[in-house]
Amino acid sequence: MMKTWTTVFAMFVACATSSASAQAVQGNPQAGAGKVAMCIGCHGIAGYQASFPEVHKVPKISGQSAAYIASALEAYRKGDRSHPSMRAVAQSLSDQDIADVAAYYQAHTTPSGSPAQPHDPPAQVAALIEKGACFSCHGQGFAKPIDPSYPKVAGQHPDYLYVALKQYKTTNNPHVGRSNGIMAPIAQQFSNQELKQLANYIGKLPGDLQTVPQAHFR
């Protein structure tokens, strides 16, 4: 277990510089509201399902941290995340556009004011969480990451989480996969069935993530 924590810490330090540079541009949520036309057709419809690389609900991004959204869009733009549609969207955006869109979705955060629920997973899930050292990045309850460039995942759609986790295990595929020095070796430890167990548990936890329907789709 100590080796796992040491490895995760070392990778976190290695990623700190890129995380900081992603925050160099200041985002404006008001400006971002005018730049999300390509986003709302999927992320502005509650329950909307994508069919690539398999059928799953598109992620909730309202309430997500701006740093993570910017980091994800940059990964799509660079090709570190392989997804034809998302890469096309990301490549059409400037650094300022990305910062503004990220700020817009972060501004949707609406704290509930209710106390955090105790984290008490079933024993089998608890063992998987410990094996992956998940709390070391995503925090207790998966809603308060230790770094804002890491995603909040509590309450995310389980089927999306499952697809995303599997993609960290995918290699040498130009259309599917995610290159990430932290998540790839962690995901490789688990079978797909174990990843599904984790995704199903995390998706049931309370968190900030939501889908804010646009007026066109209400």
Side-chain angles (χ1 to χ4, degrees):
M1 184 62 188
M2 181 60 69
K3 182 179 179 181
T4 300
W5 278 85
T6 302
T7 301
V8 170
F9 178 75
M11 289 187 292
F12 171 71
V13 172
C15 292
T17 301
S18 61
S19 173
S21 64
Q23 300 310 301
V25 181
Q26 185 67 35
N28 183 314
Q30 287 74 37
K35 299 179 178 182
V36 295
M38 291 184 291
C39 309
I40 61 176
C42 294
H43 297 286
I45 305 175
Y48 185 83
Q49 293 192 128
S51 58
F52 178 87
E54 60 190 79
V55 176
H56 63 87
K57 293 184 182 66
V58 300
K60 305 172 188 177
I61 58 174
S62 290
Q64 186 62 267
S65 71
Y68 171 69
I69 294 175
S71 176
L73 286 170
E74 177 62 15
Y76 284 120
R77 187 164 65 173
K78 291 168 56 181
D80 289 340
R81 288 191 178 191
S82 299
H83 189 290
S85 298
M86 283 302 305
R87 187 172 192 190
V89 169
Q91 287 183 326
S92 74
L93 302 174
S94 67
D95 289 348
Q96 187 62 61
D97 293 336
I98 287 177
D100 291 342
V101 167
Y104 170 78
Y105 281 108
Q106 177 178 273
H108 290 168
T109 303
T110 53
S112 64
S114 59
Q117 298 297 311
H119 174 73
D120 187 23
Q124 189 172 12
V125 174
L128 297 177
I129 292 171
E130 182 176 2
K131 179 180 178 180
C134 304
F135 292 155
S136 64
C137 290
H138 296 285
Q140 292 281 339
F142 294 91
K144 296 185 182 300
I146 64 167
D147 185 275
S149 67
Y150 295 164
K152 302 174 184 179
V153 289
Q156 185 59 270
H157 296 302
D159 55 351
Y160 166 74
L161 289 174
Y162 177 54
V163 169
L165 287 168
K166 285 194 298 181
Q167 289 195 50
Y168 290 114
K169 296 172 62 177
T170 302
T171 58
N172 301 319
N173 186 321
H175 304 297
V176 178
R178 298 186 176 192
S179 175
N180 183 291
I182 295 176
M183 283 301 302
I186 290 174
Q188 290 288 349
Q189 300 178 84
F190 299 103
S191 68
N192 286 349
Q193 183 57 40
E194 288 172 330
L195 292 179
K196 182 174 285 189
Q197 283 182 278
L198 282 169
N200 287 339
Y201 173 74
I202 295 168
K204 294 176 182 176
L205 296 173
D208 297 334
L209 302 179
Q210 57 181 315
T211 298
V212 176
Q214 299 297 310
H216 314 62
F217 308 121
R218 287 176 181 162

